[in-house]
Amino acid sequence: MVPGFSCFNIRVYGLLLAGRQVLLSHESLRNVAFTKFPGGGLHLGEAPPEGLRREFQEELGMAVRVQQLFHVPDFVVTNYFRPEEQVLVLHYLVAAEHSADLQRLNLGEKNLESLAELNQMAHEWVPVRYLKNEQLTFPADKAAAHKLRSAMG
């Protein structure tokens, strides 16, 4: 066991594309605002694609098809909120089951300070070519964004 870590936490995230744009999720936890790709923690007994479909249903109210595993960081990831946890992060490419769901997404207010105070969530479409690492909070998402930018030219 590596000193400092007491357990693993498995997180699954989806890269939902609409044309050449990707969906970002602006969220808050414990009054801390952050931006990431939609998704979250895997429950015991769930396969990663199953957990990702559940997360999209919970967070966005939409069904997605999990297409393929896209990125797994090649570095150690520490849980931002629980430093005793090592995180295994899986980023998948996903597609909306129903294209109409993409139009009805509630993009909401993206003022991160307001979101943190109200413990709310908002979403934003960002053109992949303009997606900057500074827009994302967590190192694993930054690495996935870099790979996505490279893949889409």
Side-chain angles (χ1 to χ4, degrees), residues 9 11 13 27-34 36 78-85 87 137-138:
N9 182 336
R11 315 289 294 175
Y13 297 100
E27 303 179 23
S28 70
L29 180 66
R30 300 181 189 146
N31 292 322
V32 176
F34 51 91
K36 64 181 190 61
T78 301
N79 188 317
Y80 186 84
F81 296 100
R82 291 187 213 106
E84 72 278 5
E85 290 183 357
V87 182
T137 304
F138 306 118

Side-chain angles (χ1 to χ4, degrees), residues 131-151:
L131 180 60
K132 305 279 188 260
N133 281 355
E134 299 78 36
Q135 291 172 274
L136 295 158
T137 304
F138 306 118
D141 287 331
K142 293 177 185 198
H146 176 77
K147 183 175 179 181
L148 184 62
R149 282 190 308 271
S150 295

Side-chain angles (χ1 to χ4, degrees), residues 24-142:
L24 297 184
S25 183
H26 302 286
E27 303 179 23
S28 70
L29 180 66
R30 300 181 189 146
N31 292 322
V32 176
F34 51 91
T35 300
K36 64 181 190 61
F37 294 110
L42 196 63
H43 291 175
L44 285 174
E46 276 185 324
E50 178 185 5
L52 188 53
R53 285 190 295 272
R54 176 187 48 75
E55 286 287 341
F56 265 81
Q57 191 63 52
E58 289 175 3
E59 293 182 8
L60 294 154
M62 68 183 296
V64 294
R65 281 186 318 280
V66 178
Q67 296 176 315
Q68 70 181 45
L69 181 61
F70 181 74
H71 183 258
V72 178
D74 60 357
F75 52 88
V76 174
V77 178
T78 301
N79 188 317
Y80 186 84
F81 296 100
R82 291 187 213 106
E84 72 278 5
E85 290 183 357
Q86 181 176 349
V87 182
L88 174 62
V89 180
L90 308 172
H91 287 93
Y92 287 87
L93 294 176
V94 299
E97 283 285 353
H98 311 287
S99 59
D101 285 343
L102 298 176
Q103 276 69 48
R104 71 164 182 72
L105 282 178
N106 178 9
L107 299 182
E109 172 63 45
K110 64 176 187 176
N111 178 317
L112 296 185
E113 291 77 25
S114 296
L115 289 173
E117 290 171 12
L118 300 171
N119 199 30
Q120 293 181 340
M121 181 183 308
H123 298 90
E124 172 186 19
W125 289 109
V126 176
V128 171
R129 69 179 175 178
Y130 297 125
L131 180 60
K132 305 279 188 260
N133 281 355
E134 299 78 36
Q135 291 172 274
L136 295 158
T137 304
F138 306 118
D141 287 331
K142 293 177 185 198

